[in-house]
Amino acid sequence: MLWRDGQILAGTEAPLDHADRGLTLGDGLFDTALALNGRVAFEDAHVARLVASAEVLGIPADAAAIRSAMRALAGRGERLAIRTTLTRGAGPRGLKPPEVPRPSLFATAAPSGRAIAFAPLRLRPTAIARNDTSPAARLKTLGYLDAVIAAGEAARDGFDEALFCNTKGLVACAGTGNVFCVADEGTLLTPPLTDGVLPGIVRAQVLALAPAHGLAVAERSLTPDDVRRTEAVFVTNSLRLLAPVTALGETAYDSAGHAAFALLREALCAAVAESCGVTPEEVA
């Protein structure tokens, strides 16, 4: 399904200006959200992040239109992945942004299987570096080619996701999510945003929920060896929610069996359920 200019269309095809900078230069942003029974999980946070990111890039963003697009699609199925895309719009040739942008906003929805939530992952370290010096590293931009290449490498080697380090060799993120690990003192660790990390919606939820469930949390720079020595590793995003990592390269983990996973799974299920007006059992 496609939302465009206030209308919902069957399929995902619609006329596109081939001078749109989102297409020609990757000049734009996107957001992925989970919708259950007609409501978007953590809707306010998704809208606020997209608007704030657009402000960084100087792209006009209409929060009401973004919310309208998400809600219109959320009501079309029981469990959907909603992708909302905002580009700077069409412009003349060259890199310089037009003085008066004409942004393009559209959104799509597709079924999101319940089985993906809390499902385990195997991570493959990639030699491709996350550019922590770039403002784009902390925005969900349309430029995902590094992640696409790394995903292909991971799949060829029998892994599910790639793990990125930044230009300093510090752990940044997975290809499609934030990284958490449990240190031997029981503290839940995650890299800080300054290490080239996207401010994930579920990342923020975990940081907020963990202390109330007896887990100390800290944003701390981590080397790959730091992560390998931890007791458990998780990847968070809006569809997977909290994915326990079973392997990082040749290092194996029983992340799903760790007490922290059980606590966070229960807390996240409850948070998503409250946000969407469903029962925790309907989340996963």
Side-chain angles (χ1 to χ4, degrees):
M1 289 174 288
L2 170 68
W3 180 98
R4 187 75 178 265
D5 299 326
Q7 296 183 332
I8 293 182
L9 307 173
T12 55
E13 296 184 10
L16 174 69
D17 187 335
H18 286 71
D20 191 296
R21 290 171 62 96
L23 175 65
T24 61
L25 297 171
D27 189 357
L29 302 156
F30 76 99
D31 175 88
T32 302
L34 175 67
L36 297 177
N37 288 349
R39 288 170 60 174
V40 177
F42 315 126
E43 179 186 283
D44 288 344
H46 281 284
V47 174
R49 184 180 65 178
L50 190 51
V51 171
S53 298
E55 289 178 355
V56 172
L57 297 182
I59 300 175
D62 184 338
I66 292 168
R67 194 180 300 274
S68 177
M70 290 180 175
R71 288 183 175 182
L73 290 172
R76 296 300 177 115
E78 291 186 1
R79 189 184 189 101
L80 298 171
I82 296 177
R83 174 180 164 130
T84 307
T85 303
L86 176 69
T87 79
R88 201 181 299 271
R93 283 186 54 79
L95 298 181
K96 181 181 177 182
E99 293 184 5
V100 182
R102 294 179 293 153
S104 175
L105 174 68
F106 57 92
T108 59
S112 179
R114 175 185 277 190
I116 193 175
F118 304 106
L121 289 177
R122 301 180 73 244
L123 294 180
R124 177 193 184 277
T126 178
I128 302 171
R130 179 85 168 179
N131 186 3
D132 52 294
T133 69
S134 170
R138 290 173 289 281
L139 305 175
K140 208 168 178 69
T141 71
L142 300 180
Y144 254 57
L145 192 55
D146 283 351
V148 170
I149 294 170
E153 294 173 344
R156 285 192 295 271
D157 287 348
F159 290 84
D160 304 298
E161 274 268 18
L163 179 74
F164 285 86
C165 289
N166 64 18
T167 61
K168 301 180 182 69
L170 299 171
V171 171
C173 58
T176 62
N178 294 110
V179 174
F180 285 85
C181 55
V182 183
D184 55 10
E185 71 271 18
T187 302
L188 190 65
L189 304 175
T190 193
L193 300 184
T194 51
D195 283 349
V197 174
L198 179 79
I201 302 299
V202 177
R203 176 185 186 272
Q205 286 291 320
V206 170
L207 288 173
L209 292 168
H213 291 77
L215 293 171
V217 294
E219 295 180 74
R220 183 185 305 170
S221 293
L222 301 165
T223 67
D225 283 342
D226 289 335
V227 175
R228 290 188 183 96
R229 287 192 292 265
T230 59
E231 297 178 354
V233 181
F234 311 121
V235 171
T236 61
N237 73 21
S238 291
L239 303 181
R240 296 186 184 279
L241 298 178
L242 184 78
V245 173
T246 60
L248 172 56
E250 296 180 356
T251 303
Y253 303 90
D254 181 22
S255 299
H258 198 282
F261 178 72
L263 289 170
L264 292 172
R265 178 188 171 112
E266 181 179 2
L268 272 176
C269 275
V272 173
E274 181 180 2
S275 181
C276 293
V278 300
T279 66
E281 291 74 23
E282 292 175 272
V283 176

